[in-house]
Amino acid sequence: MRDTVLREHICLLAKSMFDRGLTGGSTGNISARTEDGGLLVSPTGTSFGRLDPARLSHFDIAGKLIGGDEPTKEMPLHQAFYDTRSTAGAVVHLHSCHSVALSMLPETDPDNFLPPLTPYGIMKLGRVKLLPFFMPGDPAMGDAVRGLAGKRSAVMLANHGPVVAGKDIEAACNAVEELEDTARLAMMLRGMSARALTDDQVQGLVSKFDIEWDD
């Protein structure tokens, strides 16, 4: 995707998520690979609802800032995904309400954050890792992602928000929205005797769609 088109696409998708309440105020950040191997990144302190294509932070392939405004303080988090997952073409981090709520519940499984409620949560995300709480901007968040050795495409930062890597900007945005939708279902069904997918059904999906399902 050409640089100018990619810039417009990043801002269009970010505004769509903002308009639907998936991240508010000046929260969240988004990045995508350029054709030449560089990165376009949302600047620090900006709102998903008002990103300016011309002011996106622009990094070259060596990681040097060559244009735009100063990048999000969560750059170490984004860079960790790009460095450990060769398939990562975009990374999205939101402060979405239901996923954050689910991260606070003591019964939530840290190694498999999302309950298996629908096939699409599994197909788009694989197994989601719940990471502990970090101070915003703490480089240790990137270290925690690196510690997963590229085995997870999505993590949930406890009390903070989800972070998802995808092959391109569309895939990353679709996946993070699926994460929030599944978390919303989990919160809606809490305390009810809901019928989740069985282990056999989950394994059937993993096999049929060749899903990363690290133990």
Side-chain angles (χ1 to χ4, degrees):
M1 189 180 292
R2 290 185 296 108
D3 181 86
T4 53
V5 175
L6 180 59
R7 287 173 179 271
E8 295 285 349
H9 208 44
I10 289 170
C11 296
L12 176 70
L13 291 171
K15 186 176 188 306
S16 173
M17 289 186 285
F18 179 86
D19 288 347
R20 288 175 291 130
L22 291 169
T23 202
S26 60
T27 66
N29 33 81
I30 187 169
S31 65
R33 282 276 186 216
T34 58
E35 282 188 336
D36 63 2
L39 284 176
L40 290 171
V41 185
S42 55
T44 185
T46 51
S47 167
F48 266 32
R50 296 180 295 278
L51 290 180
D52 181 344
R55 298 182 66 177
L56 294 177
S57 309
H58 188 191
F59 290 84
D60 65 16
I61 193 170
K64 179 183 177 182
L65 183 65
I66 58 173
D69 294 342
E70 286 297 311
T72 171
K73 61 179 175 295
E74 309 290 16
M75 268 304 295
L77 187 58
H78 288 246
Q79 194 62 55
F81 273 106
Y82 291 116
D83 289 348
T84 58
R85 290 184 62 84
S86 61
T87 58
V91 175
V92 183
H93 168 41
L94 303 180
H95 291 190
S96 43
C97 182
H98 295 90
S99 58
V100 174
L102 186 61
S103 78
M104 300 177 192
L105 299 182
E107 66 267 26
T108 299
D109 182 353
D111 200 51
N112 194 12
F113 172 67
L114 293 176
L117 299 178
T118 73
Y120 299 99
I122 295 164
M123 292 161 61
K124 291 184 181 296
L125 296 154
R127 196 189 297 263
V128 180
K129 179 74 173 181
L130 174 61
L131 297 177
F133 174 75
F134 296 95
M135 290 292 288
D138 188 343
M141 287 189 285
D143 295 338
V145 170
R146 291 177 193 280
L148 300 174
K151 294 179 180 178
R152 305 291 178 100
S153 67
V155 300
M156 180 67 202
L157 303 172
N159 302 73
H160 187 160
V163 193
V164 175
K167 64 182 178 63
D168 55 34
I169 194 66
E170 287 272 2
C173 290
N174 287 341
V176 78
E177 291 191 32
E178 194 67 44
L179 192 156
E180 172 63 6
D181 283 347
T182 305
R184 180 157 57 101
L185 277 174
M187 295 302 294
M188 289 170 60
L189 295 169
R190 190 171 180 234
M192 302 179 187
S193 298
R195 292 190 300 273
L197 297 177
T198 66
D199 289 344
D200 286 346
Q201 288 169 331
V202 170
Q203 289 305 317
L205 288 165
V206 169
S207 297
K208 181 175 177 60
F209 296 99
D210 193 24
I211 298 163
E212 291 178 287
W213 199 252
D214 172 62
D215 291 332

